[in-house]
Amino acid sequence: MANIGFIGLGIMGKPMAEHLIRGGHTLFLLTRSGVSEDLVALGGIVCTTPQEVAQQAEIIITMLPDTPDVEKVLFGNNSIAAGLTDSSEVRKVIIDMSTISPLATQQFAIKINELGHDYVDAPVSGGDIGAQNAALTIMVGADEAVFSKVKSILELMGKQVTLIGGNGAGQVCKIANQIIVALTIEAVGEALLFVSKAGVDPEKVRQALMGGFAASRVLEVHGERMINRRFDPGFRIELQQKDLDIVLASASALGISLPNAATTHELYNACVAHGGAKWDNSAIVKMLEKLANHEIYKRTE
Amino acid sequence: MANIGFIGLGIMGKPMAEHLIRGGHTLFLLTRSGVSEDLVALGGIVCTTPQEVAQQAEIIITMLPDTPDVEKVLFGNNSIAAGLTDSSEVRKVIIDMSTISPLATQQFAIKINELGHDYVDAPVSGGDIGAQNAALTIMVGADEAVFSKVKSILELMGKQVTLIGGNGAGQVCKIANQIIVALTIEAVGEALLFVSKAGVDPEKVRQALMGGFAASRVLEVHGERMINRRFDPGFRIELQQKDLDIVLASASALGISLPNAATTHELYNACVAHGGAKWDNSAIVKMLEKLANHEIYKRTE
Amino acid sequence: MANIGFIGLGIMGKPMAEHLIRGGHTLFLLTRSGVSEDLVALGGIVCTTPQEVAQQAEIIITMLPDTPDVEKVLFGNNSIAAGLTDSSEVRKVIIDMSTISPLATQQFAIKINELGHDYVDAPVSGGDIGAQNAALTIMVGADEAVFSKVKSILELMGKQVTLIGGNGAGQVCKIANQIIVALTIEAVGEALLFVSKAGVDPEKVRQALMGGFAASRVLEVHGERMINRRFDPGFRIELQQKDLDIVLASASALGISLPNAATTHELYNACVAHGGAKWDNSAIVKMLEKLANHEIYKRTE
Amino acid sequence: MANIGFIGLGIMGKPMAEHLIRGGHTLFLLTRSGVSEDLVALGGIVCTTPQEVAQQAEIIITMLPDTPDVEKVLFGNNSIAAGLTDSSEVRKVIIDMSTISPLATQQFAIKINELGHDYVDAPVSGGDIGAQNAALTIMVGADEAVFSKVKSILELMGKQVTLIGGNGAGQVCKIANQIIVALTIEAVGEALLFVSKAGVDPEKVRQALMGGFAASRVLEVHGERMINRRFDPGFRIELQQKDLDIVLASASALGISLPNAATTHELYNACVAHGGAKWDNSAIVKMLEKLANHEIYKRTE
């Protein structure tokens, strides 16, 4: 059993840390808003700085909102890097499970390697439900040897844990996921809106299409939400918007033109302008509805 | 067993007519380039005009490239309408299985009804393979009573035959299908191109994503084609482009804004400009590749 | 002085025909809704079919809404073509001043040439004000010799009459005009909306920008309308939408990808969905405002 | 005459500083790559840190590439802020003439005000030619009283100096400029490419359009460059791309949907992917040409 640090105990991080404790590990915990009683009751140990976490644990997991947050925890004041320097005789592993820039990730990994430690990027998909059920999909960027060392720990939190490639590859895979999910939601929105404004029952169409090439998890799950007008998350608009920020900034840096990701990002901006930051990401259809001056509704009862 | 007319015996229509003959029906056949020997050998009867087909058959099926073709066969010189007028004592059924404008379809149906006959729009998906295996998905717009009358005949050609609604609803459903398929292909293209230019193995990413919300038939089938560079159709670029023409013209007529369908249509234009009219529709990724100055390739062997 | 036919006496055609009568020509007139008393009082002669117009006049001008209208008048029942055939001993000139498809134009010209007559495409810009003031910009596609023959007649209706190239070139030039005007209006809309939502005075910005590279007639005229909320036409949304239909269909036929023309077309669809068919084309900014949940307003009084 | 600090003496900053020296002011200079001999020969005084500049000068001008550069010089190590604190008895003025985020600008201004000093944002347009000829357009965000104090100094560098509003308004105006310029260039590119692929002379079209609503400085200047294939800057692709980064990040923060700015940004990414970072921004047309498989060329000689 290992000493594991866990920084960032939000809606995702808290259940993930809990699975690790229940898996028999000793957890060193830190989060901005204070560690919850539950985790302490289970045996979690509260720390006061990233530096302290990095001194105590041999594996340090971060689960934070965005790139600058990870950078600060890794290299800011009283940082993980400071803690690693204090304990330079042991080769420790940093696992960043946040969704952040793949280009920044590669730079972070190089710096951590230069300090004599290992880096793993391991962003997840599956949302808070996946985190609670230890059913996350985890996309890993790491050296194979390092991956072998931490695989069993990741498997306490996720069902599908895949090594995609070296450092950054986990984040690249997550970007691909976010492009496809956002654009497929937008596509399903265009299609169901067309159907409804043409006077046809969108639910019958959705069911008919599930048998052919239009079939997707998004048509199944998000399509149903659009038709039944249930826009409570799920995955929030503001997070989808932030992830598309990362997508487009990375595409700009790599010299790639992503026309539909760009257009779709603008529609998420519009959602936020209408107070939709906390809506489910399927609510992008509301912006298409505004333009068409028509709201999707079911014909069948 | 019925007397069935079949007009349009191309790559799709020919195997469909064959299934009907094998199902025990008498077929009256017409196609621009001459009816093939095979169908005649099976017992098909060759006609010389749509009018003649409509005089001989009680159910008349059309399977033609585009809206003006259907209009001409229905209402031009020596047309189906002329044949229907000649035999006005029997209530006959026209089944249009082409993919054409839903708005034109509704007008055609009204005219046929005015002549005292019934109209069914029944576009298909599943391609030439689906046609050969009698495994098409058939999306039907018709009155329920008329649908009941022709359902068993449609089932000789398709596996999934669904009544979506009244006249035009079959075409509306097909449009929804084409929007989703084209835009999901484009989305998968953006994602896999990003992955490849970022130096990560697109095949590993594709497999990892098949487990989550990005999963779709398109990621499975067309994603694989993009990675393995197999762009022989499948569903041809020029047909996808023509179907998006119908999508966008219909959206314009109905007052709907379809931003990503519009952008994607332009990329199909570009494919045609590069000699790609006969490529598989997954080859839209080649245009994204041109912009990014990078071609997707596998890292694994 | 010449015998001139004029078919299509709407908001544009009527004042244009009047200038020709006042220029001393004999006019043979036809329009769907009946020729106005004014034109008859000036000496215009009313005809009942395009065929009759073509029999009487040596130069026949058409000013009609869209491609199918021109096709019908040229080649339908009792058409211009029929009139030309009746009078085949004289080489007559057809001048189409409508805005229609350049590809269809080239085919029309070939057919007219085959009948032994000449064709000129001469679409205009400048709107009803330009028509009333004989101040239209006229973009001509014709053989040079034919252009010389009709130039003085065109100059009775317009101030700037330019021969762009052979048949179709006038319509191609008009398409270029429509692309630039529509996209510049959209661009000015994005910019002024940004300024206003950022809390800055859009009128001050508009004036500051008129001095630099952002300066355009559109910023001057349409920008002012957006800020002062005056959306009475001008050039109507429904006409701009129809012209973009021609733009995009032509681009599709020629194999050109026009990403921003495509997106902008969809925003015009949205305008129509909000009852804006008769608004000025600058009202496209209203759709951007809907997405941003903010309406442009002046800070200065 | 005043003591003026100037930080950032690149292709723009150097001639601007020179005009101030020639105007009789004493200049305290700092730039990353070392102050040029010319400026020293004219009487410029070399400093070694932003702090030193701020201690010596009463007005401190910054002309730097991007937001983080300005932030670092203002508030990093040995920063302007440190220099201001050292000399807190005098109310000094910071003038940032860089093109940076308007939202960051407002925060910088608040911080500088809290230190007891004034802030002016004064981004420019007109390029290196404008800088050399003291002919820049300068868009100012400042309190009126502060603007009055520095106006004559700004007029040594620019011909059109306009107060747009309070802090940030100068940058907002610059953003509006960049949206319109980039999107008008793209529009002109779509139009001229269409013309050329349709076989018509783009130069004749450009001249014809300069008389109507399509007229703009961009059609005049950048249109001519596209036709004559002169893509040496002018304003570099990489700067236009960076400015669109600011545009889109600001739109995201404010909740505005900018569909064509987003699409156009992606085309600039593609330019960079083809080695075009240093091309003139009119070279975006090359990406449209790639998609259309056709390069614009003149028909006339």
Side-chain angles (χ1 to χ4, degrees):
Chain A
M1 293 299 103
N3 288 334
I4 302 178
F6 206 113
I7 301 176
L9 300 162
I11 195 171
M12 296 293 292
K14 197 192 150 201
M16 289 162 73
E18 205 175 307
H19 293 305
L20 295 177
I21 298 177
R22 291 189 195 281
H25 298 288
T26 305
L27 269 281
F28 295 86
L29 303 169
L30 178 65
T31 200
R32 219 167 28 174
S33 57
V35 176
S36 82
E37 298 288 319
D38 308 4
L39 288 173
V40 177
L42 283 169
I45 298 156
V46 178
C47 297
T48 54
T49 63
Q51 182 173 11
E52 188 190 339
V53 173
Q55 287 163 339
Q56 302 290 338
E58 66 219 74
I59 291 167
I60 303 106
I61 297 175
T62 51
M63 188 63 184
L64 297 161
D66 207 346
T67 313
D69 306 297
V70 174
E71 184 166 25
K72 199 175 151 199
V73 162
L74 285 175
F75 306 110
N77 292 330
N78 305 313
S79 67
I80 289 175
L84 292 177
T85 311
D86 298 344
S87 53
S88 56
E89 69 291 351
V90 195
R91 194 162 185 98
K92 299 190 167 184
V93 186
I94 311 300
I95 308 178
D96 178 34
M97 302 187 76
S98 325
T99 293
I100 68 164
S101 159
L103 304 175
T105 291
Q106 287 173 328
Q107 292 165 351
F108 296 167
I110 288 168
K111 282 197 196 172
I112 295 294
N113 290 341
E114 286 171 355
L115 295 174
H117 301 276
D118 291 313
Y119 193 90
V120 174
D121 50 295
V124 308
S125 72
D128 50 339
I129 307 291
Q132 285 159 29
N133 299 336
L136 295 167
T137 296
I138 306 181
M139 298 154 264
V140 184
D143 287 342
E144 278 198 42
V146 179
F147 178 63
S148 309
K149 239 164 93 177
V150 300
K151 196 179 174 201
S152 61
I153 286 168
L154 294 172
E155 284 171 343
L156 289 171
M157 298 177 282
K159 264 206 309 222
Q160 195 193 355
V161 179
T162 313
L163 180 65
I164 306 293
N167 278 134
Q171 297 293 355
V172 166
C173 186
K174 182 68 191 289
I175 277 187
N177 186 72
Q178 295 309 78
I179 292 173
I180 294 178
V181 170
L183 270 60
T184 309
I185 289 175
E186 203 276 345
V188 167
E190 290 195 12
L192 294 180
L193 175 62
F194 182 94
V195 165
S196 181
K197 191 157 187 187
V200 173
D201 183 6
E203 180 53 25
K204 279 205 180 146
V205 167
R206 191 182 72 87
Q207 283 170 19
L209 297 188
M210 280 306 295
F213 273 123
S216 68
R217 282 278 283 155
V218 163
L219 179 61
E220 193 188 333
V221 174
H222 300 82
E224 189 272 341
R225 287 178 194 164
M226 292 177 194
I227 293 168
N228 292 312
R229 318 303 293 166
R230 300 190 297 97
F231 296 123
D232 40 297
F235 189 69
R236 293 198 303 278
I237 291 281
E238 63 189 348
L239 292 176
Q240 186 75 68
Q241 185 191 31
K242 170 227 132 190
D243 286 359
L244 283 172
D245 285 341
I246 295 174
V247 167
L248 292 168
S250 304
S252 191
L254 288 169
I256 304 175
S257 192
L258 299 179
N260 287 359
T263 319
T264 303
H265 180 258
E266 297 306 297
L267 291 173
Y268 281 111
N269 290 354
C271 280
V272 174
H274 286 82
K278 311 289 180 201
W279 295 342
D280 183 67
N281 58 354
S282 59
I284 192 177
V285 74
K286 289 188 177 210
M287 298 305 109
L288 298 171
E289 290 177 339
K290 267 194 190 305
L291 289 172
N293 204 15
H294 172 88
E295 207 166 273
I296 290 174
Y297 68 99
K298 275 200 288 197
R299 269 60 174 180
T300 44
E301 65 288 2
Chain B
M1 295 299 102
N3 287 335
I4 302 177
F6 206 112
I7 301 176
L9 300 163
I11 195 171
M12 296 293 292
K14 199 193 148 198
M16 290 162 73
E18 205 176 308
H19 293 306
L20 296 177
I21 298 177
R22 291 187 194 282
H25 298 288
T26 305
L27 268 280
F28 295 87
L29 304 170
L30 179 65
T31 200
R32 220 170 22 177
S33 55
V35 176
S36 82
E37 298 288 316
D38 308 5
L39 289 173
V40 176
L42 283 170
I45 297 157
V46 178
C47 297
T48 55
T49 64
Q51 183 172 10
E52 189 190 339
V53 174
Q55 286 163 340
Q56 302 290 339
E58 66 219 74
I59 291 167
I60 302 105
I61 297 174
T62 51
M63 188 64 184
L64 296 161
D66 206 348
T67 311
D69 306 297
V70 175
E71 184 165 26
K72 200 176 151 197
V73 161
L74 285 175
F75 306 111
N77 292 329
N78 305 312
S79 67
I80 289 174
L84 292 177
T85 311
D86 299 342
S87 53
S88 57
E89 70 290 353
V90 196
R91 193 164 185 95
K92 299 190 168 184
V93 186
I94 311 299
I95 308 177
D96 178 35
M97 303 187 75
S98 325
T99 294
I100 68 164
S101 158
L103 305 174
T105 291
Q106 287 173 330
Q107 292 165 351
F108 296 165
I110 287 168
K111 282 196 196 176
I112 295 293
N113 290 342
E114 286 171 355
L115 296 174
H117 301 277
D118 292 314
Y119 193 91
V120 174
D121 50 295
V124 307
S125 73
D128 51 338
I129 308 289
Q132 285 159 29
N133 299 336
L136 295 167
T137 295
I138 305 182
M139 299 155 262
V140 185
D143 288 343
E144 279 199 41
V146 179
F147 178 63
S148 308
K149 240 164 89 177
V150 300
K151 195 179 176 203
S152 63
I153 286 168
L154 293 172
E155 285 171 342
L156 288 172
M157 297 177 284
K159 265 204 310 218
Q160 196 193 355
V161 179
T162 313
L163 180 65
I164 306 293
N167 279 135
Q171 297 294 354
V172 166
C173 186
K174 182 68 192 288
I175 278 187
N177 186 72
Q178 294 309 77
I179 292 173
I180 296 178
V181 170
L183 270 60
T184 311
I185 290 175
E186 203 275 346
V188 167
E190 291 195 11
L192 295 181
L193 175 62
F194 182 93
V195 165
S196 182
K197 192 158 187 187
V200 174
D201 183 6
E203 180 52 27
K204 279 204 180 148
V205 168
R206 192 182 72 89
Q207 283 171 19
L209 297 188
M210 279 307 294
F213 272 123
S216 68
R217 281 277 284 152
V218 163
L219 179 61
E220 192 188 335
V221 174
H222 300 82
E224 188 273 341
R225 288 179 194 164
M226 292 176 195
I227 294 168
N228 291 313
R229 316 304 293 166
R230 299 190 297 96
F231 295 123
D232 39 298
F235 189 70
R236 293 199 302 278
I237 291 281
E238 62 189 350
L239 293 176
Q240 187 76 67
Q241 185 192 29
K242 170 225 132 190
D243 287 359
L244 284 171
D245 284 341
I246 296 173
V247 167
L248 292 168
S250 304
S252 191
L254 289 168
I256 304 174
S257 192
L258 299 180
N260 286 359
T263 318
T264 303
H265 179 259
E266 298 306 297
L267 290 173
Y268 280 111
N269 290 354
C271 279
V272 174
H274 285 83
K278 311 290 180 200
W279 296 341
D280 184 68
N281 59 353
S282 59
I284 193 177
V285 74
K286 288 187 176 212
M287 297 305 109
L288 299 170
E289 290 177 338
K290 264 191 196 305
L291 290 171
N293 205 14
H294 172 89
E295 206 166 275
I296 291 174
Y297 68 99
K298 276 200 287 197
R299 269 58 175 181
T300 43
E301 64 287 3
Chain C
M1 293 298 103
N3 288 334
I4 302 177
F6 206 112
I7 302 177
L9 300 162
I11 194 170
M12 295 293 292
K14 198 192 150 198
M16 289 161 73
E18 206 175 306
H19 294 305
L20 294 177
I21 297 177
R22 292 189 194 281
H25 298 287
T26 305
L27 268 279
F28 295 86
L29 303 170
L30 178 65
T31 199
R32 220 168 26 178
S33 55
V35 176
S36 82
E37 299 287 319
D38 308 4
L39 288 174
V40 176
L42 283 170
I45 298 156
V46 178
C47 297
T48 55
T49 63
Q51 184 173 9
E52 189 190 339
V53 173
Q55 286 163 339
Q56 302 290 339
E58 65 220 74
I59 290 167
I60 303 106
I61 296 175
T62 51
M63 188 63 183
L64 298 161
D66 207 346
T67 312
D69 305 298
V70 175
E71 184 166 26
K72 201 176 150 196
V73 162
L74 285 176
F75 305 110
N77 291 329
N78 305 313
S79 66
I80 289 175
L84 292 178
T85 312
D86 298 344
S87 53
S88 55
E89 69 290 353
V90 195
R91 194 164 185 98
K92 299 191 166 182
V93 186
I94 312 299
I95 308 177
D96 179 35
M97 303 188 75
S98 325
T99 294
I100 68 164
S101 159
L103 305 175
T105 291
Q106 287 172 330
Q107 291 165 353
F108 297 166
I110 288 168
K111 282 197 196 175
I112 295 294
N113 290 343
E114 285 171 355
L115 295 174
H117 301 276
D118 291 314
Y119 193 92
V120 173
D121 50 293
V124 308
S125 72
D128 49 338
I129 307 291
Q132 286 159 29
N133 300 336
L136 295 167
T137 295
I138 306 182
M139 299 155 261
V140 185
D143 287 342
E144 279 199 42
V146 179
F147 178 64
S148 309
K149 239 163 91 176
V150 301
K151 196 178 173 201
S152 62
I153 287 168
L154 294 173
E155 284 171 344
L156 288 173
M157 299 177 281
K159 264 204 307 219
Q160 194 194 357
V161 179
T162 314
L163 179 66
I164 306 292
N167 279 135
Q171 296 294 354
V172 165
C173 186
K174 182 68 191 288
I175 278 187
N177 186 72
Q178 295 308 78
I179 293 173
I180 294 177
V181 170
L183 270 60
T184 310
I185 290 175
E186 204 276 345
V188 167
E190 290 195 13
L192 295 180
L193 175 61
F194 182 94
V195 164
S196 182
K197 191 157 188 186
V200 173
D201 182 6
E203 180 53 25
K204 278 204 181 148
V205 167
R206 191 181 72 88
Q207 283 169 19
L209 296 188
M210 279 308 293
F213 273 123
S216 68
R217 281 277 283 153
V218 163
L219 179 60
E220 190 188 335
V221 175
H222 301 82
E224 187 274 342
R225 289 178 193 164
M226 293 177 195
I227 293 168
N228 291 314
R229 317 305 291 167
R230 300 189 298 98
F231 296 122
D232 40 298
F235 190 68
R236 294 199 302 279
I237 291 281
E238 62 190 349
L239 292 176
Q240 185 76 67
Q241 185 192 30
K242 171 227 131 189
D243 286 359
L244 284 172
D245 284 341
I246 295 173
V247 167
L248 292 168
S250 304
S252 191
L254 289 170
I256 304 173
S257 192
L258 300 179
N260 286 359
T263 317
T264 303
H265 179 259
E266 298 306 297
L267 290 173
Y268 281 111
N269 290 353
C271 279
V272 174
H274 286 83
K278 311 288 180 203
W279 296 341
D280 184 67
N281 59 354
S282 60
I284 193 176
V285 74
K286 288 188 177 210
M287 297 304 110
L288 298 170
E289 290 177 340
K290 266 194 192 303
L291 289 172
N293 205 14
H294 173 88
E295 206 167 273
I296 291 174
Y297 67 99
K298 275 200 287 197
R299 268 60 175 180
T300 44
E301 66 286 2
Chain D
M1 293 300 103
N3 288 335
I4 302 177
F6 207 112
I7 301 177
L9 300 162
I11 194 169
M12 296 293 292
K14 197 192 151 201
M16 290 162 73
E18 205 176 307
H19 293 305
L20 296 177
I21 298 177
R22 291 188 193 282
H25 298 287
T26 305
L27 267 281
F28 295 85
L29 304 169
L30 178 65
T31 200
R32 220 171 22 177
S33 55
V35 176
S36 80
E37 298 288 317
D38 307 5
L39 289 173
V40 177
L42 283 170
I45 298 156
V46 179
C47 297
T48 55
T49 64
Q51 183 172 9
E52 188 190 339
V53 173
Q55 286 163 340
Q56 302 290 338
E58 66 219 73
I59 291 167
I60 303 106
I61 297 175
T62 51
M63 188 63 182
L64 297 160
D66 207 347
T67 312
D69 305 297
V70 175
E71 183 165 27
K72 201 175 149 198
V73 161
L74 285 175
F75 306 110
N77 292 329
N78 305 312
S79 66
I80 289 175
L84 292 177
T85 313
D86 299 342
S87 53
S88 55
E89 70 291 353
V90 195
R91 193 161 184 97
K92 298 189 168 185
V93 187
I94 311 298
I95 308 177
D96 178 34
M97 302 188 75
S98 325
T99 294
I100 68 164
S101 159
L103 305 175
T105 291
Q106 286 173 329
Q107 292 164 353
F108 297 165
I110 289 169
K111 282 196 197 176
I112 294 293
N113 290 343
E114 285 171 356
L115 295 174
H117 301 276
D118 291 313
Y119 193 91
V120 174
D121 49 294
V124 306
S125 72
D128 49 339
I129 307 291
Q132 285 159 28
N133 300 336
L136 294 167
T137 296
I138 306 182
M139 299 155 262
V140 184
D143 287 342
E144 280 199 42
V146 179
F147 177 65
S148 310
K149 240 164 88 176
V150 300
K151 194 178 175 204
S152 63
I153 286 168
L154 293 173
E155 285 172 342
L156 289 173
M157 297 176 283
K159 264 204 309 218
Q160 194 193 357
V161 179
T162 314
L163 180 65
I164 307 291
N167 279 134
Q171 297 294 354
V172 165
C173 186
K174 182 69 192 287
I175 277 188
N177 186 71
Q178 294 308 78
I179 292 173
I180 295 178
V181 170
L183 270 59
T184 309
I185 291 175
E186 204 277 344
V188 167
E190 291 196 11
L192 295 181
L193 175 62
F194 182 93
V195 165
S196 181
K197 191 157 187 186
V200 173
D201 183 6
E203 180 53 26
K204 279 204 180 148
V205 168
R206 191 181 73 89
Q207 282 170 18
L209 297 187
M210 281 307 295
F213 273 124
S216 68
R217 282 277 284 153
V218 163
L219 178 61
E220 191 188 336
V221 174
H222 299 82
E224 188 271 342
R225 287 178 194 165
M226 292 177 195
I227 293 168
N228 291 312
R229 319 305 291 167
R230 299 191 296 98
F231 296 123
D232 40 298
F235 190 68
R236 293 199 303 278
I237 291 280
E238 64 189 349
L239 292 177
Q240 186 76 68
Q241 185 191 31
K242 171 225 131 189
D243 286 358
L244 283 172
D245 284 340
I246 295 174
V247 168
L248 292 169
S250 304
S252 191
L254 289 169
I256 305 174
S257 192
L258 300 179
N260 287 358
T263 318
T264 303
H265 179 258
E266 298 305 299
L267 290 174
Y268 281 111
N269 290 353
C271 280
V272 174
H274 285 82
K278 311 289 181 202
W279 296 341
D280 183 66
N281 58 355
S282 60
I284 192 177
V285 74
K286 289 188 177 211
M287 298 303 110
L288 299 170
E289 291 178 337
K290 266 192 192 304
L291 290 172
N293 204 15
H294 172 89
E295 206 166 274
I296 291 174
Y297 67 100
K298 276 201 287 196
R299 268 62 175 177
T300 43
E301 66 286 6

